[in-house]
Amino acid sequence: MQRTFFESDHEAYRHTVREFLAREVEPHYERWEDDRLVDRSAWLAAGKSGIVGLAVPERFGGSGVSDYRFRCITAEEIARTGTTSFGSGISLQDDVALPYIIDLGTDEQQRRWLPRMAAGDLIGAIAMTEPGTGSDLQGIKTSAVRDGDHWVLNGQKTFITNGIHSDVVIVVVRTDPDAGSRGFSLLVVERDMPGFSRGRKLHKVGLAAQDTAELAFEDVRVPDANLLGTEGKGFVHLMEHLPLERISIAVAAIAAARAAYEWTREYVFERKAFGKPVGDLQNTRFVLAEMLTEIEVTQSHIDQCVLALNAGELTAVDAAKAKWWASELQKRVVDRCVQLHGGYGFMMEYPIGRAFVDSRVQTLYGGTTEVMKEIIGRDIAARPA
């Protein structure tokens, strides 16, 4: 099926991304995976090449690009090269942290943070999850109490993407314990604030080079100037921005599924068993046919979701549908591709082996598959009386 989703400008940008990855990422990626940390120099290179901070307005040093198809190009090229740990950090910056500052930040906040984020010199993170609170965001216990023109912040966060490198962390805090969902706010904690510390760099099943960490806040005095958005509307701000985060996961998922399929399609016609290429066995052809069909059908749907996002029409429910379906498809496709690789599929020097461990988190972060189904189910149940 001919895909007509991209235009000439997008394909020109693909060339830029592909050259950047070949020059700045692929030669170093094995070392980063072994070190369990991407070099900060890669972020600076990404800033210079326009790979990060696309949506930052031009007056703050960005490209001012709101067309999410450009981010789709980056996701596809990262999946093609199997450099998923690098892509995860970049996605967190562009699809999660930056939109909060662009949409909610005051002019002073934007002037302070956006130019350096667009340059790759300032790395962002968002701290939602806590040791006892995952997808249930209303269970957050991290709190902040006003003291003059500051907030005194206490609590712990975990599983924080970019947790080690981050220079600015958007922290979801409870500012009014008696206000229910209207008692949350967003505070931006900066790297050197006293009382802010990083725990261990978490040792994950996959995404080895992506720096995921625990964060601790002990009587951190956060100036009122670092309140992001409106006090008490933190939960509303989260709900407004979660569709973008979730569609970004769906885009990465379908890109990864297609990359795994392409590696496998090539491999099975090179590898021989019983005197002929594995790809000439009927079962192999059936598996390839099933995967390609599922990928193309899902790709068509994700493309429509991206166009809806561009038009400002992507709903939280539709984002949830795309996120759970595409991420579960990614897991199924990668698992079948490992099987078709045989024993070599279990070797980390083959990209499919790394794709196998990297894929597992996709149905967990950004809201688990079960939470996505609950969001959809509630919408179904809210039928007119």
Side-chain angles (χ1 to χ4, degrees):
M1 177 182 294
Q2 182 67 32
R3 190 179 177 203
T4 58
F5 182 61
F6 296 117
E7 298 172 10
S8 58
D9 286 352
H10 303 109
E11 295 302 339
Y13 183 65
R14 185 187 300 278
H15 181 71
T16 298
V17 175
R18 187 168 292 187
E19 282 195 336
F20 166 80
L21 293 172
R23 182 181 67 249
E24 303 288 352
V25 177
E26 292 180 80
H28 311 291
Y29 194 72
E30 290 288 345
R31 175 173 59 81
W32 295 344
E33 288 279 284
D34 290 341
D35 293 344
R36 295 196 297 119
L37 193 66
V38 173
D39 288 348
R40 282 193 73 117
S41 60
W43 285 84
L44 293 171
K48 288 180 181 178
S49 298
I51 308 301
V52 67
L54 278 179
V56 172
E58 291 184 31
R59 69 182 185 278
F60 296 121
S63 300
V65 174
S66 59
D67 183 352
Y68 196 77
R69 287 177 291 180
F70 287 95
R71 287 285 302 126
C72 294
I73 292 286
T74 304
E76 290 180 4
E77 290 304 306
I78 284 171
R80 183 187 62 82
T81 55
T83 53
T84 321
S85 291
F86 174 76
S88 180
I90 294 294
S91 179
L92 192 285
Q93 179 94 325
D94 270 28
D95 300 332
V96 184
L98 272 172
Y100 281 92
I101 298 173
I102 292 171
D103 296 343
L104 303 173
T106 64
D107 185 66
E108 186 277 332
Q109 289 171 338
Q110 292 181 346
R111 283 189 285 106
R112 186 157 34 122
W113 296 319
L114 290 182
R116 292 181 62 196
M117 293 181 85
D121 180 48
L122 197 75
I123 298 175
I126 187 163
M128 300 186 203
T129 305
E130 298 182 0
T133 304
S135 297
D136 177 17
L137 296 177
Q138 293 202 48
I140 285 172
K141 292 182 171 58
T142 296
S143 63
V145 178
R146 187 183 287 279
D147 181 20
D149 59 357
H150 282 73
W151 294 89
V152 180
L153 171 62
N154 284 280
Q156 291 181 311
K157 300 290 184 176
T158 194
F159 307 147
I160 306 306
T161 303
N162 292 349
I164 298 297
H165 277 329
S166 55
D167 303 292
V168 289
V169 182
I170 301 167
V171 186
V172 185
V173 299
R174 189 180 289 274
T175 49
D176 186 343
D178 302 317
S181 63
R182 295 184 296 278
F184 296 95
S185 302
L186 305 179
L187 295 177
V188 179
V189 175
E190 299 180 71
R191 172 174 286 277
D192 296 324
M193 287 183 173
F196 170 37
S197 61
R198 302 163 206 269
R200 60 197 175 103
K201 180 171 60 178
L202 299 174
H203 198 170
K204 307 182 297 299
V205 171
L207 298 176
Q210 206 297 307
D211 58 310
T212 307
E214 299 170 324
L215 305 180
F217 309 93
E218 185 174 354
D219 293 331
V220 180
R221 293 184 64 81
V222 182
D224 211 24
N226 282 31
L227 174 69
L228 192 60
T230 304
E231 179 183 343
K233 290 192 175 180
F235 199 73
V236 173
H237 296 326
L238 290 176
M239 295 305 102
E240 290 171 343
H241 287 82
L242 280 172
L244 172 56
E245 178 180 356
R246 287 166 177 163
I247 200 62
S248 76
I249 296 171
V251 165
I254 192 61
R258 185 176 290 277
Y261 166 81
E262 293 294 346
W263 300 330
T264 304
R265 181 185 58 81
E266 182 176 341
Y267 178 80
V268 296
F269 289 105
E270 293 175 349
R271 179 189 170 205
K272 290 188 176 181
F274 308 107
K276 60 181 177 180
V278 172
D280 286 339
L281 299 172
Q282 186 184 58
N283 179 71
T284 302
R285 294 200 302 269
F286 280 9
V287 173
L288 291 173
E290 291 168 1
M291 289 193 294
L292 181 59
T293 302
E294 288 183 283
I295 288 168
E296 289 190 346
V297 170
T298 302
Q299 183 75 72
S300 180
H301 179 68
I302 298 300
D303 288 353
Q304 292 305 307
C305 287
V306 169
L307 295 178
L309 176 71
N310 281 350
E313 298 171 355
L314 182 68
T315 67
V317 173
D318 285 341
K321 293 173 185 175
K323 193 272 179 183
W324 89 258
W325 178 262
S327 60
E328 292 287 353
L329 173 64
Q330 177 187 355
K331 281 169 50 183
R332 292 197 307 273
V333 166
V334 171
D335 186 67
R336 284 182 281 181
C337 288
V338 168
Q339 191 71 20
L340 290 179
H341 275 75
Y344 289 105
F346 204 60
M347 300 295 107
M348 290 300 284
E349 62 260 34
Y350 276 70
I352 195 63
R354 182 172 291 148
F356 181 72
V357 294
D358 286 351
S359 68
R360 189 58 188 86
V361 73
Q362 290 280 80
T363 60
L364 300 175
Y365 59 12
T368 64
T369 292
E370 292 74 20
V371 169
M372 297 301 99
K373 292 179 179 179
E374 177 64 13
I375 290 169
I376 300 162
R378 286 178 182 176
D379 184 67
I380 295 169
R383 58 195 182 279

